[in-house]
Amino acid sequence: MTGDRRSRRVSAVLRWPVGLALVSWRYFWRTTPIHRSDVVGDLGDLPPASPQGAEGDDVQRPSDGVGTLLHRRYSVRIRGSRLSPEELMTRLAADPDRWSPEFAVFRRTRGEPGGMAVGDEFLIRMPGPWDGPVRVAAAGPSAFSFVTLEGHLEAGRIEFRTRRDPDHPEMLRFDIESWARPGDRLSHVLYNTLRVAKEVQFNMWTHACIRAAAIAGGRPDGGVTVRTRRFATAG
């Protein structure tokens, strides 16, 4: 581990009590129902083939991580929006800070503002134990994805998608799906022993689902669903 990466990890450990306090405060005051499940996964939870934009020696793939693979899906059904899935995605891609919680800042380090293009990069800055670089690996009219880069607390990828709900075509649906393992052994402690990084991540993406509904001009229908599947890989 390089000195810069070690410094980032130590900083995360020192700051995690602040992140925990923020997560606890937001969880206490949340009014939107959150439906959580956490089960044992299987081979079907391995990530699909990486998009072309995920190439590079600085990319941290799930196989580069430590510990159990977490396959997570955050979903919200949006009632009352007049936007198309593509129009909603355009708004979400234009400015991640509009839908991230106030304690998370997306600082663009590469690419032009106002959208998502393959190769764009961000540094996600947080007061708690998640502070790391990501790159846009795929981007389209109704979806985009990030891969984590060297120095991130996670090794993996995350996808953001908008679509019509298959059971209720009059409603929109926003999904966030991730496949990741802790980036190294210290991150593994933060995720699976102290469990702080896991809760900060959970809070961040459930907040994103709720904000996506507001940006769409609608409201969550039935709350936010969070499904976690754990798979112990051989890597």
Side-chain angles (χ1 to χ4, degrees):
M1 183 186 298
T2 66
D4 182 64
R5 290 186 66 190
R6 185 180 296 109
S7 175
R8 184 176 290 120
R9 296 296 194 269
V10 172
S11 176
V13 172
L14 293 177
R15 291 182 292 144
W16 73 260
V18 178
L20 179 60
L22 287 168
V23 168
S24 299
W25 180 87
R26 181 173 291 281
Y27 185 84
F28 181 79
W29 290 104
R30 179 184 286 127
T31 58
T32 302
I34 308 295
H35 310 285
R36 304 179 69 166
S37 67
D38 193 326
V39 300
V40 175
D42 53 33
L43 289 171
D45 294 297
L46 293 175
S50 297
Q52 187 173 358
E55 298 174 352
D57 293 338
D58 56 346
V59 174
Q60 291 188 161
R61 300 169 181 81
S63 58
D64 298 321
V66 175
T68 299
L69 174 76
L70 294 183
H71 178 197
R72 308 186 88 176
R73 179 176 290 152
Y74 307 76
S75 301
V76 61
R77 196 166 55 202
I78 302 171
R79 177 184 293 275
S81 174
R82 296 185 178 182
L83 299 183
S84 68
E86 294 77 15
E87 288 172 330
L88 175 55
M89 181 53 66
T90 295
R91 295 189 182 189
L92 297 175
D95 183 6
D97 284 335
R98 287 189 64 194
W99 42 264
S100 64
E102 65 274 6
F103 57 80
V105 177
F106 281 74
R107 184 165 67 85
R108 185 183 291 270
T109 57
R110 184 178 181 182
E112 297 297 324
M116 294 286 176
V118 174
D120 287 359
E121 294 183 4
F122 296 85
L123 182 64
I124 304 173
R125 303 303 304 268
M126 296 186 68
W130 186 4
D131 181 1
V134 296
R135 176 181 297 145
V136 179
S142 59
F144 68 88
S145 66
F146 291 143
V147 290
T148 60
L149 302 180
E150 182 177 355
H152 200 290
L153 287 175
E154 286 187 305
R157 57 191 275 203
I158 186 167
E159 297 182 355
F160 304 81
R161 299 186 292 266
T162 56
R163 56 179 172 140
R164 289 290 175 188
D165 186 84
D167 298 321
H168 302 274
E170 74 281 7
M171 299 188 201
L172 291 176
R173 186 178 176 117
F174 177 56
D175 297 297
I176 304 173
E177 188 169 11
S178 65
W179 301 263
R181 300 167 73 196
D184 56 27
R185 295 194 180 280
L186 180 54
S187 301
H188 177 66
V189 171
L190 289 171
Y191 270 85
N192 298 316
T193 302
L194 299 178
R195 302 179 68 86
V196 178
K198 175 188 173 185
E199 290 305 307
V200 169
Q201 182 196 58
F202 166 84
N203 181 267
M204 181 172 184
W205 299 132
T206 54
H207 177 90
C209 289
I210 296 168
R211 284 295 303 152
I215 291 170
R219 63 185 186 278
D221 182 85
V224 178
T225 300
V226 185
R227 306 297 188 204
T228 301
R229 293 175 60 87
R230 301 171 174 272
F231 181 61
T233 67

